[in-house]
Amino acid sequence: MISIRQLTKKYKTVEALKGITLDVPEGELFGYLGPNGSGKTTTIRILTGLARPTSGDATLHGFHILRESLEARRQCGLVPQTLNLDNELTVRENLDIHGRLFDMPRRERKARIDEMLEYVDILDRRDSPVKTLSGGLKRRVMVARALMHAPRILFLDEPTVGLDPAIRRRLWSLIKKIQQNGATIFLTTHYIEEAEFLAERVAFLNEGSIVALETPQNLMARLGEWALDEMVEGNMETVYFRSREEANRRVAGREEGGFILRRVNLEDVFIALTGKKVQAP
Amino acid sequence: MMRGFFAIYYREILILRKKLLRQMASMSVAPLLYLIAFGFGMGRDVRVDGHSYLEFLIPGLVAMNSMTQAFAIAGEINIARFYWRIFEEFQAAPIHNIAYVTGEILAGMTRAFLSAVIILVIGAASGVFLWYGPLFWMSVALNSFLFASLAVCLAMLVKSHADQALLTNFFITPMAFLGGTFFPVDRMPGWVQDVLHFLPLTHAAQAIRTSAFGGVPSAVSCIILAIIGGALFVCAFLCVNQARD
């Protein structure tokens, strides 16, 4: 369970978080979405102990992130946005050091390294130096490392950024598998289809504030089921419809190619709420 | 409190082991050059306080090299912090900052001891055999503890890898040349001696040299090194706290 109350963070003149309040129940796969600079990574940095909040409170499974920081940190695994592996060391050595940092006994460490590498399907690269791995494999090593100490909460900060679509989908399966094994997952992403596919609930963050918090289905249902993108006097406009028939009536008689009829997605919801797109970082 | 310090230390040693030959070669270059230029070139006919210049120089080089190698841990920390971003892995781990500081300082001290051994081997190959007893190694330990603590402090304060080189130029290079490595400080004018006694390396070089000559290092020098080292250890701990933005 993640519990956040009135969390704020100020960097000199910039207010990165403006009083976030949020609860994520145990076992949920939660999507945290927003454009660049909206405060997603700042939230994760505070919750995982990398940054201090300016005010507000947060607990991870009941442990306060400041007053019981070591216990709170023990609850979570973190896959940060940037690759942060020791390139000089092997895959096994990277995981071994993580296990030592979490005070895992030697025998448990040894067994868990193999178990985790098998879990993310890179056991055969166990003794390869990290610098010889591709970006996708490095991401999987980072996931294995974050899971080494069996955390109850996994923070994934843009875990699939920069990966090709096939590898991205492979990581999605892995994320689902981790959740099915009981972990709470806090996921930030700018890939809207990723959030739609994975998250049970999503929060939209805009300029440090949560502007919506719902299931993806309910959020999209606010707009309708179908979206029509069309050019109006040189500008792209999107109109939403409750049913396909309604949308069809609108485009009846028009030539094909001047419009796109598609299903409503989370990006539409975000644009409707904020007037901004969820851009790539 | 100290849980996790060994993980930090173990990681640094693992990295050092991966490039041990390169590191040892790199640790040998500067002392070899100084030995050739000052020891063999200029110092062949010079005697200092009844010792050959080479005998005078070798303990000075031990002091200087153990200082630079202990301080070099700052470079490793910066690579981990700004380049590989591994520092975040330590910050997110359930370990106290003091454990992190201790692990890094011990790694810096290990590098310093390795560099001291290299110089003694080079010295022995040049025919210099001095007394390397417990007081000698205690002095090396005090020196390396002090500069490794300073390294952790500064590594946490800098905002980029480039800043680190700047700090090395300000703190380490002047000390290497003025701290009694190459010349006896007591031959300098009085006011210069007074200034040089503010440098920790002056005390370290005196302690290391005296013990290498079979004497007992000055208690004042050892206490000064221990106090400055202790203060820098506390500073390092506070700076790591500060690094959590």
Side-chain angles (χ1 to χ4, degrees):
Chain A
M1 164 99 176
I2 303 169
S3 183
I4 305 172
R5 293 287 173 273
Q6 291 301 321
L7 200 67
T8 70
K9 177 71 180 174
K10 278 184 190 162
Y11 292 103
K12 290 181 181 163
T13 55
V14 180
E15 211 174 349
L17 291 179
K18 298 171 183 167
I20 301 288
T21 294
L22 179 67
D23 284 314
V24 180
E26 190 163 3
E28 184 173 87
L29 208 165
F30 185 78
Y32 201 54
L33 313 178
N36 293 342
S38 58
K40 303 187 300 288
T41 298
T42 302
T43 309
I44 286 193
R45 286 181 67 81
I46 291 172
L47 294 177
T48 54
L50 302 182
R52 273 186 291 249
T54 306
S55 66
D57 285 304
T59 57
L60 304 176
H61 281 293
F63 295 105
H64 194 276
I65 56 162
L66 296 178
R67 290 194 293 273
E68 299 157 295
S69 64
L70 296 192
E71 267 315 308
R73 277 184 247 168
R74 201 171 278 284
Q75 305 303 312
C76 39
L78 168 66
V79 179
Q81 198 176 128
T82 45
L83 295 171
N84 75 336
L85 296 164
D86 256 317
N87 267 15
E88 295 286 332
L89 305 184
T90 64
V91 170
R92 186 187 59 77
E93 287 164 340
N94 269 277
L95 267 61
D96 183 53
I97 287 167
H98 183 92
R100 286 170 188 266
L101 285 168
F102 280 78
D103 205 26
M104 293 169 68
R106 184 183 176 168
R107 192 173 293 176
E108 187 188 338
R109 251 180 7 242
K110 207 164 172 282
R112 190 79 179 154
I113 288 171
D114 286 349
E115 190 189 334
M116 283 303 99
L117 292 179
E118 195 161 7
Y119 189 67
V120 299
D121 200 18
I122 46 169
L123 188 58
D124 56 329
R125 304 301 298 269
R126 187 176 179 270
D127 293 310
S128 304
V130 165
K131 62 186 170 194
T132 63
L133 304 183
S134 66
L137 288 180
K138 282 180 182 170
R139 283 274 165 206
R140 278 196 266 163
V141 175
M142 284 169 70
V143 173
R145 184 183 63 179
L147 293 173
M148 260 293 282
H149 59 286
R152 295 167 75 189
I153 304 168
L154 183 63
F155 290 95
L156 299 168
D157 192 4
E158 303 277 4
T160 60
V161 71
L163 301 181
D164 65 50
I167 297 172
R168 220 161 73 208
R169 276 166 175 74
R170 203 164 169 180
L171 262 178
W172 289 0
S173 311
L174 182 60
I175 292 168
K176 277 280 188 198
K177 193 160 92 174
I178 295 165
Q179 187 213 7
Q180 280 156 9
N181 287 342
T184 306
I185 297 180
F186 193 94
L187 167 82
T188 78
T189 180
H190 70 276
Y191 295 119
I192 218 76
E193 75 279 16
E194 187 165 292
E196 273 178 32
F197 179 72
L198 291 173
E200 291 163 84
R201 279 191 313 149
V202 295
F204 278 134
L205 201 62
N206 186 38
E207 295 177 0
S209 301
I210 292 178
V211 291
L213 175 59
E214 256 290 6
T215 62
Q217 294 71 26
N218 286 352
L219 280 172
M220 291 187 289
R222 285 187 193 180
L223 293 180
E225 200 176 336
W226 291 88
L228 175 72
D229 297 322
E230 57 185 354
M231 297 300 287
V232 179
E233 294 171 2
N235 294 317
M236 170 78 90
E237 284 190 5
T238 306
V239 190
Y240 303 103
F241 301 93
R242 292 274 153 215
S243 66
R244 174 103 199 210
E245 292 68 37
E246 245 182 89
N248 281 342
R249 277 199 294 277
R250 169 81 172 235
V251 296
R254 286 202 211 170
E255 276 181 33
E256 274 189 34
F259 60 88
I260 300 168
L261 188 56
R262 58 175 175 79
R263 285 193 176 272
V264 166
N265 61 34
L266 277 178
E267 180 100 42
D268 295 317
V269 180
F270 191 78
I271 294 169
L273 285 168
T274 67
K276 295 176 187 168
K277 281 180 82 85
V278 182
Q279 293 154 330
Chain B
M1 283 281 270
M2 298 305 281
R3 190 180 286 174
F5 94 90
F6 188 73
I8 304 290
Y9 177 72
Y10 175 75
R11 173 189 168 269
E12 292 288 0
I13 296 308
L14 210 54
I15 290 170
L16 179 67
R17 210 180 68 189
K18 299 256 173 191
K19 42 187 183 181
L20 190 60
L21 283 178
R22 265 183 294 161
Q23 282 285 345
M24 284 172 64
S26 140
M27 285 174 184
S28 315
V29 172
L32 264 176
L33 290 175
Y34 291 131
L35 202 70
I36 292 166
F38 298 121
F40 299 136
M42 287 164 55
R44 188 164 288 277
D45 304 317
V46 177
R47 292 192 74 77
V48 184
D49 299 331
H51 296 278
S52 72
Y53 185 69
L54 264 184
E55 287 174 341
F56 177 85
L57 184 62
I58 291 293
L61 287 178
V62 168
M64 187 189 80
N65 227 27
S66 56
M67 169 188 74
T68 50
Q69 288 306 320
F71 191 77
I73 198 69
E76 298 294 335
I77 294 172
N78 278 321
I79 291 168
R81 197 170 161 210
F82 299 120
Y83 198 52
W84 300 129
R85 304 258 178 191
I86 283 290
F87 185 62
E88 291 185 353
E89 164 83 348
F90 304 146
Q91 283 184 307
I95 60 168
H96 280 284
N97 288 345
I98 201 156
Y100 172 76
V101 170
T102 307
E104 292 292 4
I105 288 175
L106 279 180
M109 289 176 73
T110 304
R111 292 172 66 107
F113 272 81
L114 184 61
S115 75
V117 170
I118 289 170
I119 300 213
L120 298 188
V121 170
I122 293 172
S126 316
V128 176
F129 296 94
L130 299 168
W131 173 245
Y132 307 123
L135 289 175
F136 173 85
W137 292 110
M138 181 207 72
S139 306
V140 174
L142 281 173
N143 187 36
S144 52
F145 171 67
L146 186 155
F147 284 101
S149 301
L150 176 67
V152 178
C153 259
L154 296 180
M156 291 297 122
L157 293 177
V158 296
K159 299 287 179 209
S160 71
H161 198 48
D163 292 347
Q164 189 65 45
L166 208 68
L167 289 170
T168 304
N169 285 343
F170 275 114
F171 284 95
I172 299 303
T173 309
M175 214 142 9
F177 285 94
L178 300 174
T181 306
F182 300 106
F183 58 85
V185 171
D186 55 16
R187 302 275 174 89
M188 303 298 275
W191 70 269
V192 178
Q193 281 187 47
D194 291 343
V195 172
L196 295 185
H197 275 105
F198 279 101
L199 303 180
L201 189 65
T202 306
H203 296 282
Q206 276 175 357
I208 290 170
R209 188 169 284 129
T210 305
S211 46
F213 290 161
V216 177
S218 141
V220 174
S221 287
C222 292
I223 290 169
I224 288 175
L225 290 174
I227 289 174
I228 299 175
L232 288 170
F233 183 85
V234 174
C235 279
F237 166 71
L238 296 175
C239 291
V240 173
N241 249 342
Q242 202 59 37
R244 224 175 275 275
D245 61 13

